[in-house]
């Protein structure tokens, strides 16, 4: 069986599964994951907003050590989304890392296996990979 790591991180759109954040109607800031109260202005009504699947690589690090359930080595990264937020992610399809991965490169979100749980279920989550389709705007 397959399941999502955190269902509340995702929403179904005509473009498939994408990440969902909240936008504060008072200060317009967007947050991910969803927040109940705006951490910035403590006011306003928060509404769900699907987040862009494309962004730009802000920073990354190649890790050879890490949580036992993750395949290693892995690349952890922050991606800038057009909504004005940074999202923590794993990078995938980025070998060889030293040649492929560049800060500022276009990346796109994919749904992929993150790990296997104790019951043997495939646990899916989001990752980003070097963009294969049209450029992020
Ligand atoms: Zn706010």
């Amino acid at each position: 069986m397959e399941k999502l790591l955190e269902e509340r991180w995702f929403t179904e759109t005509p473009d498939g599964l994408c990440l969902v954040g909240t936008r504060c109607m008072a200060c317009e800031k967007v947050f991910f994951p969803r927040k109940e109260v705006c951490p910035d202005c403590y006011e306003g009504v928060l509404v769900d907003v699907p987040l862009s699947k494309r962004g730009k690589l802000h920073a990354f690090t190649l890790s050879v050590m890490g949580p036992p359930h993750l395949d290693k080595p892995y690349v952890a990264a922050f991606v800038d989304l057009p909504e004005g937020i940074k999202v923590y992610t794993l990078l995938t399809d980025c070998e060889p890392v030293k040649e492929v991965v560049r800060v500022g490169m276009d990346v796109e979100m994919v749904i992929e296996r993150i790990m296997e749980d104790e019951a043997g279920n495939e646990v899916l989550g989001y990752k980003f990979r070097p963009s294969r389709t049209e450029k992020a705007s």
Side-chain angles (χ1 to χ4, degrees):
M1 269 195 40
E2 291 182 340
K3 62 180 194 181
L4 283 171
L5 186 58
E6 289 280 355
E7 296 217 6
R8 67 193 174 91
W9 291 351
F10 300 93
T11 189
E12 195 68 53
T13 72
D15 196 24
L17 213 53
C18 72
L19 295 176
V20 61
T22 45
R23 181 190 300 277
C24 172
M25 298 305 279
C27 72
E28 305 262 290
K29 291 214 170 80
V30 174
F31 303 94
F32 173 83
R34 285 173 167 140
K35 301 277 184 254
E36 300 295 324
V37 175
C38 177
D40 210 58
C41 72
Y42 304 103
E43 289 188 47
V45 176
L46 293 169
V47 294
D48 286 353
V49 281
L51 300 178
S52 174
K53 289 183 168 183
R54 297 198 178 86
K56 289 191 184 293
L57 189 64
H58 180 84
F60 68 97
T61 180
L62 180 63
S63 297
V64 290
M65 316 227 303
H69 56 270
L70 283 183
D71 299 330
K72 287 171 264 308
Y74 64 92
V75 180
F78 281 98
V79 169
D80 285 316
L81 294 183
E83 288 79 12
I85 54 171
K86 283 179 192 45
V87 172
Y88 176 80
T89 186
L90 299 178
L91 285 191
T92 185
D93 293 348
C94 58
E95 297 290 332
V97 173
K98 285 199 168 104
E99 290 169 32
V100 172
V101 182
R102 292 279 177 273
V103 167
M105 72 192 295
D106 292 330
V107 290
E108 61 190 9
M109 197 271 282
V110 290
I111 303 294
E112 253 189 27
R113 175 189 186 279
I114 300 283
M115 60 182 190
E116 192 172 277
D117 70 10
E118 296 83 12
N121 296 308
E122 292 270 281
V123 180
L124 305 180
Y126 69 91
K127 295 181 185 177
F128 279 78
R129 70 180 180 199
S131 183
R132 292 177 188 171
T133 52
E134 68 265 42
K135 296 260 181 202
S137 52

